[in-house]
Amino acid sequence: MKKLVFLTGAGISAESGITTFRDSGGLWEQYRVEDVASIQGYYRDPELVINFYNERRRQLKEVQPNDAHRLVAALEKYYDCCVVTQNVDNLHERAGSTHIIHLHGELTKATSTSNPNDPRQIVTLKDDQDIQMGEKAADGSQLRPFIVWFGEAVPMIEPAAEEVSKADIVVVIGTSLNVYPAAGLLSYAQQDAEIYLIDPSPNNVPGYLPVHIIAKKATEGMKELYQQLTRS
Ligand code: OAD
């Protein structure tokens, strides 16, 4: 089986009703990223940040995976697939993908403020379970969202780079490729890997790689690519 690695961003969940970050009307026009998505912001005002992610977690109940998530999962029948996602939603899981690397954490998990990457501190929450101020992790520190914020290390980048380096095909869907280290993952692709990018407004596409651009929304672009990738 050939190895197929997806790199996904907020755009794949846009048609499910989750707002992207940098499009017009995106989340970073409504909130200051340094207030709600940085480790400094969390230390300044933990309650604001905890509530911001509580709201995002509650939204998970209201949204469903779309055809792009479903077609990504369906390709497991034909390829050895891995989904590397910057998204903190659980729509890839709910669509049936079984090998997912979350680079920026997961809304459905919480961890400790003192040791956020210690596996013993990480707990799974229900889609609508809020984290409360004063609620403690196993090590006694404040429970916090299991999210990788600006200013923090990205522990899953190494396994993700390893997956990309072994891929025969890489499919990038719905990311502005603005945020590093995630945006640098394509540089790990083998020279002869086939690379596709699905995004209605592709930008920051590395010029040094032969990327096949499908300038369409995720659902439409994935339908087209699914047919191409399953044609024998
Ligand atoms: P962005 O909001 O930066 O980019 C979203 C991309 O999706 C853009 O390139 C859009 O053109 C594209 N897009 C919009 N609608 C789409 C659709 N229906 N189908 C396909 N593509 C569509 O989101 P990310 O690149 O995911 O991190 O952002 C990366 C990181 O920045 C996030 O993980 C988050 C954010 O700050 C943290 O908070 C740590």
Side-chain angles (χ1 to χ4, degrees), residues 62-160:
E62 320 294 332
V63 298
Q64 302 300 329
N66 63 48
D67 282 346
H69 299 101
R70 281 191 275 273
L71 290 170
V72 165
L75 282 166
E76 287 193 4
K77 221 169 103 191
Y78 304 89
Y79 293 90
D80 171 13
C81 290
C82 174
V83 179
V84 176
T85 187
Q86 294 167 84
N87 298 346
V88 295
D89 65 50
N90 57 1
L91 296 181
H92 281 301
E93 284 85 348
R94 285 161 57 193
S97 284
T98 59
H99 185 190
I100 304 166
I101 295 178
H102 281 276
L103 287 174
H104 294 162
E106 295 171 69
L107 278 173
T108 54
K109 293 183 178 166
T111 188
S112 108
T113 295
S114 301
N115 303 291
N117 295 313
D118 175 353
R120 292 169 303 181
Q121 306 302 325
I122 300 167
V123 292
T124 299
L125 303 165
K126 297 204 174 65
D127 284 358
D128 58 352
Q129 189 183 340
D130 284 351
I131 298 175
Q132 310 288 345
M133 279 306 286
E135 201 175 347
K136 301 273 194 280
D139 64 4
S141 67
Q142 170 67 45
L143 200 62
R144 60 162 263 190
F146 182 60
I147 301 289
V148 176
W149 288 315
F150 288 100
E152 294 193 295
V154 183
M156 295 312 286
I157 198 70
E158 281 187 24

Side-chain angles (χ1 to χ4, degrees), residues 9-12 14-15 20-23 28 33 37 53 86-87 104 148-150 173-179 198-201 203 216-218:
I12 194 169
E15 290 164 87
T20 61
F21 297 97
R22 294 176 184 78
D23 289 307
W28 295 157
V33 57
Y53 288 97
Q86 294 167 84
N87 298 346
H104 294 162
V148 176
W149 288 315
F150 288 100
I173 310 173
T175 169
S176 61
L177 293 171
N178 261 304
V179 175
I198 301 173
D199 196 307
S201 323
N203 42 49
K216 294 184 173 168
K217 288 185 174 183

